[in-house]
Amino acid sequence: MSRYLLLCIEFAKISIFAIGGGLASLPFLYSLSDRYAWFSHGDLADMVAVSESTPGPIGINMATYVGYTVAGVLGGVLATVSYIIPSILIGVIVARFLEKFKASPYVEAVFYGIRPAVCGLIGAAAYKIMSISLLDLDAYRISGSASLTGLFRLPAILMFGVMTVMNHKLKWHPVVYIAIAAVIGVLLKF
């Protein structure tokens, strides 16, 4: 199978089954990383950081990045389009029928059931990102010893958490937080 077709199939599948947006797609992206080794878990953590500080949803940014890495510009375009098209089609279909069935107890039950699944996907993604960014657990599994670089990141993460909680008093623009996080991220990368 050509890598272009494989990119299209994989990102279309992620788009269809990652209900809840970009963060919900992260477990699928980790699985993709494990199956094809197109990118590492660390690359994905870096991409999440970049996607959170740049315009565009995580899934679309990741599709573009992976597609470009695997198959150049055409791969980036195909992966991105393959990620977007199923969502558009599902959105159009749901919008068409939701008005008709929104009062249905079955539809309400489906949406009620989807909420915990989305929370679980986002929770799994948060755990994976934290395990990479705080204590490089992948390196621990390989070497048997924890990386201390993750421990040096903890004060910065705690400081940023306190600043976020204090936002109601500080009244800083979100761009300030993004800039501070970007600087901290760059400093901790070295």
Side-chain angles (χ1 to χ4, degrees):
M1 180 179 310
S2 81
R3 59 187 170 173
Y4 298 114
L5 181 60
L6 191 57
L7 279 168
C8 291
I9 290 169
E10 291 298 333
F11 280 99
K13 285 191 315 190
I14 292 171
S15 176
I16 291 167
F17 294 110
I19 298 169
L23 291 177
S25 69
L26 287 177
F28 297 102
L29 291 168
Y30 280 114
S31 173
L32 192 67
S33 169
D34 294 339
R35 281 184 285 140
Y36 299 109
W38 288 337
F39 54 93
S40 70
H41 289 195
D43 291 338
L44 183 55
D46 291 344
M47 191 60 199
V48 169
V50 169
S51 292
E52 289 295 330
S53 59
T54 58
I58 293 171
I60 293 172
N61 288 348
M62 199 62 202
T64 306
Y65 169 77
V66 173
Y68 179 77
T69 302
V70 172
V73 174
L74 181 59
V77 170
L78 289 173
T80 303
V81 169
S82 297
Y83 187 84
I84 294 170
I85 295 293
S87 300
I88 292 172
L89 294 175
I90 290 169
V92 168
I93 292 167
V94 167
R96 181 152 176 99
F97 292 105
L98 189 59
E99 188 64 36
K100 187 175 183 179
F101 296 109
K102 72 180 178 183
S104 165
Y106 298 114
V107 172
E108 288 180 23
V110 166
F111 282 120
Y112 185 76
I114 286 175
R115 285 185 199 123
V118 170
C119 290
L121 287 171
I122 292 172
Y127 168 77
K128 191 69 173 176
I129 293 293
M130 288 174 50
S131 72
I132 290 170
S133 62
L134 292 178
L135 294 171
D136 191 356
L137 292 182
D138 289 335
Y140 175 76
R141 286 184 193 102
I142 294 169
S143 69
S145 63
S147 168
L148 290 178
T149 57
L151 294 176
F152 295 123
R153 296 175 186 159
L154 190 58
I157 292 168
L158 291 174
M159 178 188 75
F160 194 72
V162 167
M163 287 181 2
T164 302
V165 170
M166 297 290 293
N167 186 40
H168 69 281
K169 288 184 182 179
L170 298 174
K171 305 283 190 219
W172 288 353
H173 194 276
V175 171
V176 173
Y177 290 107
I178 292 170
I180 291 170
V183 169
I184 291 170
V186 168
L187 292 175
L188 291 176
K189 194 69 174 173
F190 295 111

